[in-house]
Amino acid sequence: MEAPKEPQAEARRAAWLVGGFIGLLAAAVGVAVGELGAAVSVELGASAPNAPVVAVGQWAIDLTPAWLKEVAIRNFGSHDKTALLTGVYVTIAVVSVLAGVLARRHLAAATGLAAAFGLFGLIAALTRPVVGFGGWFPALLAGVATVVVLRSLTVWSQRESVFGAAGTAGAGEPGDREPGDRRRFLLTLLGTGAGALVGGFGSRAWLDSRYNVAPARAAVVLPEASEPLPALPASVHPNVPDLEPFFTPNAQFYRVDTALTVPQVDPRKWMLRIHGLVDRPFEVSFADLLRMPLEEHDLTLTCVSNTIGGPYCGNARWLGAPLAPLLRQAGVRAGADQILSTSFDGMTIGTPVEAVLDGRQAMLAVAMNGQTLPVEHGFPCRMLVPGLYGYVSATKWVVDLELTTFAKDAGFWVGEGWAQQAPVKTASRIDVPGTGASLQAGTVVVAGVAWATHRGVAGVEVQVDKGPWVTAELAASDTPDTWRQWSYAWHATAGQHTLTVRCTDGTGTLQTPVIQDTLPDGATGYHSIQVTIG
Ligand SMILES: Nc1nc2c(c(=O)[nH]1)N[C@H]1C(S)=C(S)[C@@H](COP(=O)(O)O)O[C@H]1N2
Ligand SMILES: [Mo]
């Protein structure tokens, strides 16, 4: 009774092994052909090529509910995109192994599964905000390639001469089959795998080099501002070790967006359209923009997803064209209460017209801290409006400004449950020492930043345990649109201590202690840290 089981079990194992491997191989070919398709579509002139894997990942981002996106941003930080793509690849691998095994018994069903997966990629590509040849063509190609490889390798592997009709691989009698046929089959598997690797990575590399605006960005000659700002006095920064600089270096500046791959916008083709409820719609090219009188402005940018004490806040010196004169040139009609901006990658952001026209320095920025706008931060051009969270004002890779009404369409984030109007809330943060630090008794310098963008910061106070609030020393103020750094020399005594910070904005309003989550319009509450003094 026992003996016949053995070959059967072995056959099953072989079926899983061979089937699973064929499935994986078919998927690898599909992914590689998708990359190749994206590369070819760029050569054929597509402006927004999207390998199907990226389209699926991007689609997943768009489908993710706001709260989950929040969790992802918090837990993965800027690695969220890598994590997501890894998830897509792992899913593809698992499904393809299953399809490969299934194919050995039910080829039609497995074909259906592979086709459905390909269709999924196609739908993901077709529902992107920017749909074009570069989206559907690679997905279609990938789906077809997967199905063809899965079917042909499965059928071939089941030939008597390769692994036998029932998939009985292994030790069989050598006389049964032609060893040459099996060798040819194994070589084909190997060749297909190698081809997928070389083709996939090669296409990706080709795509990255062809579809890459780094050289165009490097070639931009930035004009001077009409009235360049002076260098700031050293007194804007308390000289405390480990406290970040007053201006956040571009490489350290936080990044929050829904773009899985950084949009590559060719400045020679870039056009900004200003239209909608205006008397005189017009378009500006990048060259036009650089010829306008540009201004410099120091501005702190914050994300509504920033939790209390969180890192999604940065300060930079921006250079750009003031936005208000452009709106006046277009002639905003009565009733238009919103600028609905659209980015190259299809993001829509709604900004109150009033905020842009009330005298604050809203701008179309082209440079950040003296460098051409980094690609991740919106090259060639992004919008900035002092005093508003990024999701209602700071459109990166902006290509379109439509004057409209909030009642008609309030843009992407509002559809996700975030508030329509979102002025930056007053916040303060202890950066030094870090929470959990162990320090010596004596003078401990506590320092950090506080912001109440566009209202300015008038005071910062620190509290030790349940003690009285004591005034911290404020560094010099730049403008009300920037954060303000502060420090406090604390006479630390032995034991565990909690330090808390709060600030008062330029209108004299104290930061609220009420704890509120980031959804729907920004977190509130005081930031605290714990330290041990020895
Ligand atoms: N095109 C585009 N622009 C965008 C976003 C986006 O997802 N896509 N995110 C916005 C949000 S939520 C913020 S906080 C800022 C962040 O800008 P940064 O990445 O340069 O720091 O960009 C805004 N502009
Ligand atoms: Mo944001």
Short mmCIF file of all heavy atoms in Angstrom, two decimals, residues 73 254 256-257 302-306 312 389-392 413, ligand 2:
data_model
loop_
_atom_site.label_atom_id
_atom_site.label_comp_id
_atom_site.label_asym_id
_atom_site.label_seq_id
_atom_site.Cartn_x
_atom_site.Cartn_y
_atom_site.Cartn_z
N ILE A 73 2.22 56.60 5.18
CA ILE A 73 3.18 57.70 5.22
C ILE A 73 3.94 57.67 6.54
O ILE A 73 5.14 57.83 6.59
CB ILE A 73 2.46 59.06 5.04
CG1 ILE A 73 1.98 59.20 3.60
CG2 ILE A 73 3.39 60.22 5.38
CD1 ILE A 73 1.17 60.44 3.35
N TYR A 254 11.44 67.22 3.34
CA TYR A 254 10.48 66.12 3.30
C TYR A 254 9.80 66.07 1.93
O TYR A 254 9.73 67.06 1.21
CB TYR A 254 9.43 66.28 4.42
CG TYR A 254 8.29 67.22 4.09
CD1 TYR A 254 7.10 66.73 3.57
CD2 TYR A 254 8.40 68.60 4.28
CE1 TYR A 254 6.05 67.58 3.26
CE2 TYR A 254 7.35 69.45 3.98
CZ TYR A 254 6.18 68.94 3.47
OH TYR A 254 5.14 69.78 3.16
N VAL A 256 6.21 64.58 0.14
CA VAL A 256 4.93 63.88 0.22
C VAL A 256 4.19 64.08 -1.09
O VAL A 256 3.93 65.21 -1.51
CB VAL A 256 4.05 64.41 1.38
CG1 VAL A 256 2.64 63.87 1.26
CG2 VAL A 256 4.62 64.02 2.74
N ASP A 257 3.92 62.98 -1.78
CA ASP A 257 3.08 63.05 -2.97
C ASP A 257 2.61 61.64 -3.29
O ASP A 257 3.06 60.66 -2.70
CB ASP A 257 3.84 63.66 -4.16
CG ASP A 257 5.14 62.94 -4.45
OD1 ASP A 257 5.08 61.73 -4.73
OD2 ASP A 257 6.20 63.57 -4.39
N THR A 302 4.45 72.88 5.05
CA THR A 302 4.06 71.84 6.01
C THR A 302 2.99 70.95 5.38
O THR A 302 2.14 71.43 4.64
CB THR A 302 3.40 72.44 7.26
OG1 THR A 302 4.06 73.63 7.59
CG2 THR A 302 3.43 71.48 8.42
N CYS A 303 3.01 69.69 5.79
CA CYS A 303 2.00 68.74 5.33
C CYS A 303 0.94 68.56 6.40
O CYS A 303 1.24 68.45 7.58
CB CYS A 303 2.65 67.40 5.02
SG CYS A 303 1.48 66.20 4.36
N VAL A 304 -0.29 68.49 5.96
CA VAL A 304 -1.42 68.28 6.88
C VAL A 304 -1.30 66.91 7.56
O VAL A 304 -1.86 66.69 8.63
CB VAL A 304 -2.75 68.41 6.09
CG1 VAL A 304 -2.96 67.25 5.14
CG2 VAL A 304 -3.93 68.55 7.03
N SER A 305 -0.54 66.00 6.96
CA SER A 305 -0.35 64.66 7.55
C SER A 305 0.70 64.65 8.65
O SER A 305 1.00 63.60 9.21
CB SER A 305 0.11 63.67 6.48
OG SER A 305 -0.86 63.55 5.50
N ASN A 306 1.30 65.80 8.92
CA ASN A 306 2.31 65.85 9.96
C ASN A 306 1.68 65.67 11.33
O ASN A 306 0.80 66.44 11.71
CB ASN A 306 3.06 67.19 9.89
CG ASN A 306 4.33 67.17 10.69
OD1 ASN A 306 5.13 66.25 10.57
ND2 ASN A 306 4.51 68.17 11.54
N TYR A 312 7.22 66.32 8.78
CA TYR A 312 6.81 66.82 7.46
C TYR A 312 6.66 68.34 7.43
O TYR A 312 5.58 68.88 7.23
CB TYR A 312 5.53 66.14 6.99
CG TYR A 312 5.69 64.65 6.88
CD1 TYR A 312 4.80 63.78 7.50
CD2 TYR A 312 6.76 64.11 6.19
CE1 TYR A 312 4.96 62.41 7.42
CE2 TYR A 312 6.94 62.74 6.11
CZ TYR A 312 6.05 61.90 6.72
OH TYR A 312 6.21 60.55 6.65
N TYR A 389 -1.63 74.53 4.08
CA TYR A 389 -0.98 73.23 3.99
C TYR A 389 -0.72 72.89 2.52
O TYR A 389 -1.45 73.35 1.62
CB TYR A 389 -1.87 72.14 4.61
CG TYR A 389 -1.83 72.12 6.12
CD1 TYR A 389 -2.99 72.33 6.86
CD2 TYR A 389 -0.64 71.89 6.82
CE1 TYR A 389 -2.97 72.32 8.26
CE2 TYR A 389 -0.61 71.87 8.20
CZ TYR A 389 -1.77 72.09 8.93
OH TYR A 389 -1.74 72.07 10.29
N GLY A 390 0.27 72.02 2.31
CA GLY A 390 0.67 71.67 0.95
C GLY A 390 -0.44 71.12 0.08
O GLY A 390 -0.51 71.39 -1.11
N TYR A 391 -1.34 70.36 0.70
CA TYR A 391 -2.35 69.68 -0.13
C TYR A 391 -3.42 70.62 -0.67
O TYR A 391 -4.24 70.21 -1.49
CB TYR A 391 -3.01 68.53 0.66
CG TYR A 391 -4.14 68.93 1.57
CD1 TYR A 391 -5.47 68.72 1.20
CD2 TYR A 391 -3.91 69.54 2.79
CE1 TYR A 391 -6.52 69.08 2.02
CE2 TYR A 391 -4.95 69.91 3.62
CZ TYR A 391 -6.26 69.68 3.23
OH TYR A 391 -7.29 70.06 4.05
N VAL A 392 -3.44 71.88 -0.21
CA VAL A 392 -4.37 72.85 -0.77
C VAL A 392 -3.63 74.02 -1.44
O VAL A 392 -4.23 75.06 -1.69
CB VAL A 392 -5.36 73.41 0.29
CG1 VAL A 392 -6.36 72.35 0.70
CG2 VAL A 392 -4.62 73.94 1.51
N TRP A 413 -7.65 65.62 -2.81
CA TRP A 413 -7.57 65.34 -1.36
C TRP A 413 -8.90 65.55 -0.67
O TRP A 413 -9.22 64.83 0.28
CB TRP A 413 -6.49 66.20 -0.71
CG TRP A 413 -5.13 65.94 -1.28
CD1 TRP A 413 -4.47 66.69 -2.22
CD2 TRP A 413 -4.25 64.85 -0.98
NE1 TRP A 413 -3.25 66.13 -2.51
CE2 TRP A 413 -3.09 65.01 -1.76
CE3 TRP A 413 -4.35 63.75 -0.11
CZ2 TRP A 413 -2.03 64.11 -1.72
CZ3 TRP A 413 -3.28 62.86 -0.06
CH2 TRP A 413 -2.14 63.05 -0.86
MO MO B 2 0.62 67.17 2.52
#
